[in-house]
Amino acid sequence: SPQEAMDRLFLSAVLTAVSEEPPSKQAPVLISTLFGKASKLSGGVGIKQTTWKKTAPFLESIGGCLDTREPKKGVMEVTGFNKGLAPDFDFVTAPLNDEDDVALGPAATKKGAGPVIISERRVRDKNVTFVDGLELWGFTKETQAELAKELRRKLSSSASVHERTG
């Protein structure tokens, strides 16, 4: 699911960031700084977009691979990283670009039996983009509606799914 993909991406980005520059007791890293680096690596996915939502549940889920301390209330520092205790993760090498970001949303379920045709027209004095042929790639009306929802959210634009009439 898209949510699981975001969780996995954020987890991998955090573990990548901490493994690239391992913190120590002498040079701790604020958890907020670590999450900021992870968000940049993951193309903007932050802790709030994951199912963990907050630091404590996230730290519990990764099984003690990060050593932390709280020098004062509300300030969490990472003082060590034990890669042997870390869950399996994919090393994130660069921020995602817009093309990769689509993979977090609805995806084709089979190889297409025909082309996806994208055309633009003016309808009632507005620019409209039509996308035809998604059903040949395994998109059902429900997955097309989910894709439209993702486009509305990511592009701040109007998007809807309708049967083609002509």
Side-chain angles (χ1 to χ4, degrees), residues 1-36:
S1 79
Q3 187 62 57
E4 289 170 348
M6 287 175 66
D7 288 357
R8 181 90 184 133
L9 178 60
F10 183 74
L11 171 71
S12 293
V14 167
L15 296 177
T16 297
V18 79
S19 62
E20 285 179 337
E21 295 178 39
S24 67
K25 285 188 165 78
Q26 295 76 27
V29 176
L30 289 172
I31 196 83
S32 59
T33 303
L34 180 61
F35 285 174

Side-chain angles (χ1 to χ4, degrees), residues 83-100:
K83 193 170 184 174
L85 295 176
D88 290 337
F89 69 97
D90 301 317
F91 197 81
V92 181
T93 56
L96 293 172
N97 60 34
D98 290 341
E99 293 163 9
D100 295 333

Side-chain angles (χ1 to χ4, degrees), residues 109-128:
T109 58
K110 63 181 184 178
K111 188 170 181 181
V116 172
I117 300 167
I118 301 173
S119 57
E120 295 179 26
R121 287 191 238 156
R122 290 203 49 90
V123 176
R124 288 181 234 145
D125 209 29
K126 299 217 186 280
N127 291 326
V128 178

Side-chain angles (χ1 to χ4, degrees), residues 2 96-108 139 147 150-151 154-155:
L96 293 172
N97 60 34
D98 290 341
E99 293 163 9
D100 295 333
D101 199 31
V102 174
L104 296 176
F139 281 85
L147 179 61
E150 285 289 319
L151 289 171
K154 291 184 186 233
L155 303 177

